[in-house]
Amino acid sequence: QGHPDDIFPMVLTSATQELFGCLADEDVTGENPHKLLKKDDIIQDIKTRAAVSDFSPVKQIVLDYPEDELLLVFDRDFVYGQCFYLVVTPEAKDRILNPPVLETEEVFENEVNKTPEPQSWIPLGSEREVDEEADRETREKLSYKFSRVRRNFGSPVCFSDRNAADAKDGYLECSSYQDSRFSIKQMQRDCGMLAVPRLQSSSAQTQWKFQRNVFTQYIPRQLSDEEKENILQSDSLKEFCTSVTPRIMHALQQVQISNVFVDSWRALGTGAEDGDWAGKVYEDLALYQAFTDQKYTNNKKISSVNWHPTIYGVIAVALMKEKEERESDSTPSFILFYSFSDPSNSQLLLECPDDICAFEFCPSDPNIIVGGCINGQVVLWDISAHVTHLQGTEPRSKKVSINTDTYDLDDHKEKTPTVHYCALSAAESSHKAPITDIQWLPPTFEVTRTGSPVDNKYKISVQVVTCSPDGLIMFWDLRVQKMTRQPVMDTKQNVSTAHSDTFKHLDRMWKPLFRVSLPKINTSGEYLPLKFSLEHYTCSSDKTEDNDENNDRSKVPDYSQLRLPSAKTLTTLEDVNTKLYIGTEVPSPFTVTGSMTGMVNTVQRSPFFKDIILTMGSFNFSIWKEGVMEDLIIQSPSSEQMCTAACWSLSQPAVFFIGKKDGSIEVWNLLEKTERTCTAKQHFLAVTDDQGLVRVLEIPKTLYVSSRSKSSSVKKYFQLEEDRLHFFLQKVEGWEKLKKEAEEAKKRTESEKSPKEDEQLAMKEWRDHQMLEESVLKEHRLWTPTANTQDT
């Protein structure tokens, strides 16, 4: 609508422009707006990106085009409503590329160079007002006569330097001053001005406080076809075009015309990234990609998110229903896999027995996933059969010719594959509250039923740790345990629901290896754990060399063939740190007595310093150092907005991120100076919300580029904070000691005084007070002597 039939206006994103080499104002400009695109390249883009491709609306037009190349025109002035338009017929392409030559150059040249002739003034009555506003001299001019004595004519003159202030007649200054005797208030002033339209200032709640990635969907207002036709046929438009044509042609011949669309910052040079000049550097988190699937994420919030450990651009999120919907809706819950290649559709679905609160990929085998349900049960998945689908290397089952008339990408869209869970823990042996955190033990060690760390024979992760607000931390083992009598359940639950043989031996019979309760330290009751963190043990070089034969993955049997070994046959490890940092509903970590506000929602060790732990409460964060049991080493002030999550940066030891309930993200850098070294690697931060939307933000270079000295600087920073804490605690201890000694000395002094001495001291203080009162009253002549007082 509103454009010729042989063109099609289009909107091309920056990614599509770069892919086809038609960047606006770079590859195509207002002077050279044409770009020939190969038909095969456009068809390949439609096949690759499907509905995301910008050429999907003209798919059939491209397929029916008879020639090998299509013409794309850059519409810089938005004549047809968009920044580009595609020429859909060969005749229109020839007409645009080879326009007819107009023989009007001499006419325009004569019109431009013709000097306009002056015309006579036609008075219409305004000259009287102009004459009244004109400034005219009304006072009589003063005349001065200067003369010289005749005898001084021709006499020699001697010039010399002289200070004007030294002579009486040197100069006379008449400086202005304000006369304090009277003042004139101007009530009315007559002045002339040009005719201007009336202006009115108003606000529309658009205060620019901080940068934020937002978007707005809108429909442009357009004139109707009848209104457009009336304007095009009007005499006023024709007269206007006729009158301005010579001036426009004259302006186009000038060399002083400049491009107002030049990027000034970019024009200064390219040294901003190299540190050559202190230019403006964008340091905010920029939105890189957003994932959503309306079919599954509608009215659901995301409870947990994890990047795939080995496949680039793949992220998994667990969805959770609202409480009211969970009670009434019987539809299954899912864990969704997204990919950068297709952000609008999920690539894989993991069917869950109930809503998942937390899940983790296995560190030794990313195809094994463990999750914790809201009902307290533990569930396992095996996605090894769908790895090629996630990687995008799965071959197509059916080839479709692009030359057929029935070609349609949507008709051949494959259904999202669904993976059923392999095993589910026994309900009577699981947690009695939602599992709020779940982690794998590293493949370097395992624990026995008594909690002792021992060597892991095959160097694969076989044990899982879970925590729940029911007051328990449970350790689970994936291997076949000693066969016990199956618990008595109803007929429906007694039937195995697993759809894979990987963990069939665990389904409905899986029990924890052992449980750990958390009794409170100083009072009765138990702590309610929400999050925990354990140190990832790394084998020493000697042990790694000794166990090279055991590390051969080809000798590792299937999980269903592994058996839980006896503790007597395993080697006990002495250098494993078995301490856990646990965040509870009571705002303090379990191993120390610190102060935090609200429930702890994050407990995470630094990826660079294994003894540094970051914890996040509802309104502030704290940093602890393992071994420093007196107090935390760093604590932030309370935030106005509630904090929901926090995580360390994986590239900068001094940087961590904090998510807040209002949707904002805070980036903290413990070191003031930030390196500006460039790298071609991209770093992303995945952020989820309670509307089922996943946003992937690109981290700026200043927040992920590290240097050799950065790690040592952060380590020194933590050491200084630890020394400050010890110094402060020593001072507090000294102050308490001095206060205690002063109180004991005061008690001894009071006990030594007799009642008579106390009475004499009180009488002396009363006499001193009377004398002071009498002297003050006498000084102000207010003293009146009493009968028993002599006036001195």
Side-chain angles (χ1 to χ4, degrees):
Q1 182 180 0
H3 59 82
D5 296 336
D6 51 6
I7 68 168
F8 191 90
M10 299 183 64
V11 176
L12 300 184
T13 61
S14 57
T16 304
Q17 296 178 24
E18 186 175 359
L19 180 63
F20 286 89
C22 56
L23 290 174
D25 293 325
E26 293 185 9
D27 298 328
V28 291
T29 61
E31 294 76 15
N32 186 18
H34 305 131
K35 180 69 177 181
L36 290 174
L37 305 181
K38 292 185 178 181
K39 176 180 177 181
D40 295 339
D41 294 343
I42 299 176
I43 295 175
Q44 185 63 32
D45 181 69
I46 297 174
K47 292 169 61 179
T48 303
R49 297 196 294 172
V52 183
S53 175
D54 295 333
F55 292 98
S56 59
V58 295
K59 175 182 59 180
Q60 193 60 41
I61 296 176
V62 174
L63 293 175
D64 297 338
Y65 194 79
E67 297 183 358
D68 295 334
E69 291 183 338
L70 287 85
L71 178 62
L72 181 71
V73 181
F74 173 49
D75 191 359
R76 187 176 63 179
D77 298 329
F78 291 84
V79 176
Y80 298 114
Q82 304 296 345
C83 58
F84 290 90
Y85 63 84
L86 187 69
V87 181
V88 299
T89 62
E91 296 78 9
K93 181 177 73 173
D94 296 337
R95 186 179 69 251
I96 295 175
L97 293 178
N98 302 311
V101 179
L102 300 177
E103 299 179 356
T104 57
E105 296 181 358
E106 297 182 358
V107 177
F108 287 128
E109 184 177 358
N110 294 332
E111 290 182 0
V112 171
N113 297 329
K114 184 178 180 181
T115 303
E117 296 180 357
Q119 298 180 1
S120 59
W121 169 259
I122 301 176
L124 297 178
S126 60
E127 65 276 3
R128 183 173 57 83
E129 297 180 0
V130 175
D131 185 65
E132 291 177 355
E133 296 293 337
D135 293 332
R136 288 188 175 84
E137 296 181 359
T138 57
R139 294 185 303 176
E140 184 180 357
K141 292 184 178 181
L142 301 177
S143 61
Y144 294 90
K145 182 179 179 181
F146 298 91
S147 62
R148 190 177 186 184
V149 181
R150 186 175 183 82
R151 64 174 175 268
N152 292 333
F153 289 172
S155 61
V157 179
C158 182
F159 295 99
S160 62
D161 296 335
R162 186 185 72 171
N163 190 355
D166 295 340
K168 265 186 188 178
D169 56 349
Y171 73 99
L172 182 63
E173 180 181 6
C174 297
S175 57
S176 61
Y177 66 96
Q178 175 136 9
D179 194 347
S180 60
R181 294 175 297 176
F182 66 92
S183 62
I184 300 175
K185 183 178 181 181
Q186 187 174 5
M187 301 298 295
Q188 184 177 356
R189 182 179 180 183
D190 189 10
C191 61
M193 65 172 61
L194 296 177
V196 296
R198 271 187 198 172
L199 303 178
Q200 182 179 0
S201 300
S202 62
S203 60
Q205 300 179 356
T206 56
Q207 292 84 2
W208 184 265
K209 295 183 179 179
F210 55 88
Q211 295 182 358
R212 179 181 298 173
N213 294 310
V214 296
F215 63 92
T216 303
Q217 295 181 350
Y218 66 93
I219 299 176
R221 292 182 298 175
Q222 296 182 353
L223 298 174
S224 63
D225 294 340
E226 184 179 356
E227 291 174 337
K228 293 179 182 178
E229 187 64 26
N230 293 335
I231 294 175
L232 292 174
Q233 299 298 331
S234 62
D235 295 337
S236 59
L237 180 61
K238 295 178 181 179
E239 293 175 358
F240 171 76
C241 295
T242 304
S243 61
V244 299
T245 299
R247 283 180 285 172
I248 295 297
M249 297 301 298
H250 180 72
L252 292 176
Q253 297 175 12
Q254 307 303 311
V255 296
Q256 289 84 4
I257 297 177
S258 60
N259 186 6
V260 297
F261 300 101
V262 173
D263 189 348
S264 301
W265 287 106
R266 185 176 296 178
L268 289 176
T270 58
E273 297 180 352
D274 301 330
D276 295 339
W277 61 283
K280 182 178 180 181
V281 180
Y282 185 73
E283 297 184 354
D284 294 338
L285 298 174
L287 180 62
Y288 181 81
Q289 190 61 270
F291 299 105
T292 184
D293 193 332
Q294 293 298 329
K295 182 178 179 181
Y296 302 103
T297 61
N298 191 21
N299 296 329
K300 295 182 179 64
K301 65 179 181 179
I302 297 176
S303 57
S304 182
V305 57
N306 283 292
W307 290 97
H308 195 285
T310 57
I311 304 178
Y312 172 79
V314 174
I315 189 172
V317 294
L319 301 177
M320 180 180 291
K321 307 171 188 174
E322 297 294 340
K323 184 177 179 181
E324 298 79 6
E325 186 179 357
R326 194 183 306 118
E327 296 174 353
S328 59
D329 191 4
S330 60
T331 57
S333 301
F334 294 102
I335 293 178
L336 273 62
F337 282 73
Y338 292 109
S339 176
F340 282 165
S341 60
D342 189 5
S344 60
N345 298 303
S346 54
Q347 304 299 308
L348 188 65
L349 301 176
L350 302 188
E351 185 178 0
C352 311
D354 205 341
D355 287 350
I356 299 296
C357 298
F359 71 97
E360 287 288 338
F361 289 90
C362 180
S364 59
D365 186 0
N367 297 325
I368 305 300
I369 303 173
V370 64
C373 298
I374 195 172
N375 61 359
Q377 290 180 283
V378 185
V379 62
L380 288 167
W381 294 273
D382 183 5
I383 63 171
S384 55
H386 302 275
V387 175
T388 56
H389 179 76
L390 290 177
Q391 292 175 342
T393 59
E394 186 176 7
R396 294 182 178 270
S397 58
K398 183 180 180 180
K399 294 184 179 179
V400 181
S401 176
I402 62 174
N403 294 325
T404 60
D405 297 336
T406 59
Y407 176 73
D408 193 352
L409 295 173
D410 294 336
D411 295 341
H412 299 276
K413 182 179 177 182
E414 298 181 0
K415 186 178 180 181
T416 305
T418 302
V419 179
H420 301 277
Y421 55 89
C422 300
L424 186 65
S425 63
E428 71 281 356
S429 302
S430 302
H431 289 282
K432 306 306 178 186
I435 296 177
T436 54
D437 200 3
I438 186 168
Q439 296 183 25
W440 291 84
L441 283 184
T444 51
F445 75 98
E446 58 182 279
V447 294
T448 62
R449 294 183 181 275
T450 59
S452 301
V454 293
D455 187 26
N456 192 333
K457 180 181 179 181
Y458 292 106
K459 295 296 181 290
I460 60 174
S461 295
V462 292
Q463 292 181 340
V464 178
V465 188
T466 61
C467 76
S468 173
D470 61 356
L472 293 176
I473 294 180
M474 294 187 181
F475 288 74
W476 306 76
D477 200 295
L478 275 65
R479 295 168 291 190
V480 179
Q481 303 183 20
K482 184 178 179 180
M483 297 303 295
T484 58
R485 186 177 179 182
Q486 188 173 352
V488 179
M489 296 182 291
D490 58 8
T491 306
K492 184 181 295 186
Q493 290 182 345
N494 199 17
V495 178
S496 176
T497 58
H499 295 266
S500 175
D501 296 334
T502 307
F503 299 103
K504 192 175 181 180
H505 58 282
L506 298 176
D507 190 40
R508 299 290 179 175
M509 296 182 292
W510 194 15
K511 296 182 180 180
L513 188 66
F514 65 93
R515 299 176 173 87
V516 178
S517 60
L518 305 176
K520 290 188 176 181
I521 299 176
N522 299 324
T523 60
S524 60
E526 292 182 347
Y527 287 104
L528 305 181
L530 298 178
K531 298 290 180 180
F532 67 91
S533 175
L534 52 89
E535 181 183 332
H536 288 268
Y537 170 71
T538 304
C539 296
S540 60
S541 58
D542 296 335
K543 291 182 180 180
T544 304
E545 294 176 359
D546 296 339
N547 296 333
D548 283 342
E549 297 181 358
N550 294 335
N551 288 337
D552 188 2
R553 294 296 178 88
S554 61
K555 299 180 182 179
V556 178
D558 188 74
Y559 278 99
S560 59
Q561 300 176 9
L562 292 175
R563 296 293 185 271
L564 189 64
S566 174
K568 298 179 181 180
T569 62
L570 299 175
T571 304
T572 304
L573 301 176
E574 301 294 339
D575 55 344
V576 177
N577 184 9
T578 58
K579 295 180 180 179
L580 297 179
Y581 265 74
I582 303 170
T584 67
E585 287 189 350
V586 179
S588 63
F590 177 69
T591 56
V592 292
T593 57
S595 174
M596 294 191 69
T597 56
M599 296 186 296
V600 178
N601 54 54
T602 300
V603 179
Q604 190 181 66
R605 289 180 182 267
S606 170
F608 299 92
F609 307 100
K610 62 182 180 180
D611 57 345
I612 299 297
I613 298 96
L614 170 67
T615 61
M616 171 57 67
S618 297
F619 294 96
N620 67 335
F621 71 86
S622 301
I623 297 180
W624 315 76
K625 185 171 184 180
E626 193 167 7
V628 182
M629 307 299 292
E630 294 83 4
D631 204 344
L632 48 86
I633 60 174
I634 299 174
Q635 185 178 17
S636 70
S638 296
S639 172
E640 295 182 359
Q641 292 291 336
M642 182 179 293
C643 303
T644 57
C647 68
W648 286 101
S649 170
L650 300 180
S651 55
Q652 280 256 29
V655 175
F656 56 92
F657 306 91
I658 296 176
K660 295 193 172 183
K661 191 175 181 180
D662 62 348
S664 62
I665 299 174
E666 288 186 354
V667 183
W668 288 74
N669 191 350
L670 299 177
L671 299 180
E672 293 182 357
K673 184 179 179 181
T674 304
E675 299 293 336
R676 295 191 180 274
T677 308
C678 299
T679 177
K681 209 172 182 182
Q682 286 180 294
H683 287 238
F684 301 112
L685 176 68
V687 183
T688 62
D689 58 17
D690 56 359
Q691 302 296 326
L693 184 63
V694 184
R695 292 179 175 88
V696 177
L697 307 177
E698 185 175 0
I699 302 176
K701 298 174 184 178
T702 56
L703 296 180
Y704 67 74
V705 177
S706 184
S707 61
R708 296 181 179 178
S709 60
K710 188 65 65 67
S711 180
S712 59
S713 300
V714 179
K715 186 176 181 180
K716 184 178 180 181
Y717 174 79
F718 287 140
Q719 185 63 42
L720 291 175
E721 291 296 330
E722 182 182 355
D723 296 341
R724 178 197 58 79
L725 175 62
H726 288 311
F727 177 77
F728 175 73
L729 294 177
Q730 290 176 1
K731 287 293 184 182
V732 171
E733 185 178 355
W735 294 335
E736 294 293 338
K737 186 176 180 180
L738 293 175
K739 183 178 179 182
K740 187 176 181 181
E741 291 177 354
E743 291 178 353
E744 292 178 353
K746 184 177 180 181
K747 290 180 180 179
R748 288 196 301 269
T749 304
E750 292 177 353
S751 61
E752 292 175 357
K753 292 181 180 180
S754 62
K756 187 175 181 181
E757 291 177 350
D758 293 341
E759 184 179 355
Q760 292 177 355
L761 181 61
M763 291 297 296
K764 183 177 181 301
E765 292 179 353
W766 171 248
R767 293 193 191 97
D768 293 341
H769 174 71
Q770 283 185 328
M771 293 177 64
L772 178 62
E773 182 181 4
E774 181 179 348
S775 62
V776 172
L777 292 176
K778 285 182 178 180
E779 182 179 355
H780 293 81
R781 298 181 180 180
L782 298 175
W783 170 250
T784 302
T786 59
N788 298 328
T789 305
Q790 293 181 356
D791 189 1
T792 58

